[in-house]
């Protein structure tokens, strides 16, 4: 045996490990588990909210599709969206929905949104007149996403503003 091999065997015996191969296997597994539990480098971005449809029936709802972009090299899972919706600065509703949607690496994904509008807060008459007149509404989405990357939970803040024009 070489001097280096003798030294390695001596160090392994000093650490109380019976087999150098077992020690090496444990070391490799520990390093793999530490690198597998990484958080992503960048946050997911809400690119746009499209296909916004306001349903003004007895229970007014706002339906839309949120398009997100994952700039990271690893895929994950969307677990929950917890976002408050503000219309012209007034809280109009809240989305708190659990999902199990696969998030592709370096790619876009979309999520359907549906929120019941709180007409008492918005002012029923003002909102109906605004909708009939084709008024523009400032919409703000404020909250967070709960994601999972290789079992590691991640919370991503959302603060997105858009303007929609509702016409009938």
């Amino acid at each position: 045996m070489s001097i280096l091999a003798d030294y390695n065997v001596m160090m392994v015996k000093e650490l109380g490990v019976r087999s150098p191969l077992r020690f090496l296997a444990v070391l490799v597994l520990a390093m793999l588990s530490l690198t597998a539990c990484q958080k992503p480098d960048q946050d997911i971005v809400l690119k746009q909210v499209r296909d916004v449809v306001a349903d003004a029936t007895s229970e007014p709802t706002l339906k839309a599709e949120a398009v997100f972009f994952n700039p990271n090299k690893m895929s994950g899972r969307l677990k929950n969206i917890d976002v408050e919706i503000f219309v012209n600065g007034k809280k109009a509703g809240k989305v708190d929905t659990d999902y199990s949607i696969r998030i592709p690496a370096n790619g876009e994904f979309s999520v359907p949104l549906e929120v019941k509008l709180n007409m008492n807060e918005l002012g029923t008459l003002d909102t109906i007149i605004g909708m009939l007149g084709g008024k523009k509404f400032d919409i703000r989405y404020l909250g967070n996403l709960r994601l999972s990357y290789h079992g590691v939970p991640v919370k991503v803040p959302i603060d997105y503003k858009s303007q929609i024009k509702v016409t009938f």
Side-chain angles (χ1 to χ4, degrees):
M1 263 206 240
S2 71
I3 295 173
L4 185 59
D6 288 339
Y7 178 74
N8 284 341
V9 169
M10 185 178 72
M11 289 302 294
V12 168
K13 285 182 182 177
E14 261 185 45
L15 292 172
V17 179
R18 294 183 187 135
S19 167
L21 190 56
R22 182 178 294 166
F23 176 73
L24 183 61
V26 168
L27 185 65
V28 167
L29 283 174
M31 290 181 68
L32 283 175
S33 66
L34 287 175
T35 58
C37 296
Q38 292 180 4
K39 287 189 176 183
D41 296 333
Q42 300 174 22
D43 284 344
I44 287 180
V45 178
L46 176 57
K47 287 183 68 175
Q48 68 174 325
V49 178
R50 65 180 181 211
D51 303 331
V52 179
V53 177
D55 182 10
T57 58
S58 61
E59 270 192 47
T61 57
L62 186 70
K63 296 179 183 180
E65 185 176 4
V67 179
F68 295 94
F69 177 71
N70 178 14
N72 300 294
K73 293 179 181 178
M74 59 178 149
S75 62
R77 286 227 167 264
L78 173 64
K79 297 292 189 177
N80 177 273
I81 292 180
D82 183 12
V83 175
E84 292 181 330
I85 312 292
F86 295 88
V87 177
N88 293 337
K90 297 178 183 174
K91 185 176 174 183
K94 182 174 180 161
V95 176
D96 189 3
T97 308
D98 292 329
Y99 295 95
S100 184
I101 296 175
R102 185 183 170 283
I103 300 170
N106 291 319
E108 287 187 356
F109 65 99
S110 61
V111 179
L113 299 177
E114 184 172 332
V115 64
K116 291 180 182 170
L117 297 175
N118 183 355
M119 296 305 279
N120 293 337
E121 187 69 33
L122 291 175
T124 308
L125 188 59
D126 291 341
T127 304
I128 292 173
I129 290 172
M131 287 179 170
L132 293 174
K135 180 180 175 186
K136 289 185 179 182
F137 292 93
D138 293 320
I139 310 289
R140 182 175 183 197
Y141 304 85
L142 185 63
N144 60 63
L145 305 175
R146 271 193 3 232
L147 315 168
S148 174
Y149 285 98
H150 302 291
V152 177
V154 178
K155 196 180 240 188
V156 178
I158 296 294
D159 189 357
Y160 179 80
K161 296 175 185 175
S162 68
Q163 199 174 63
I164 62 169
K165 184 175 182 179
V166 180
T167 57
F168 287 96

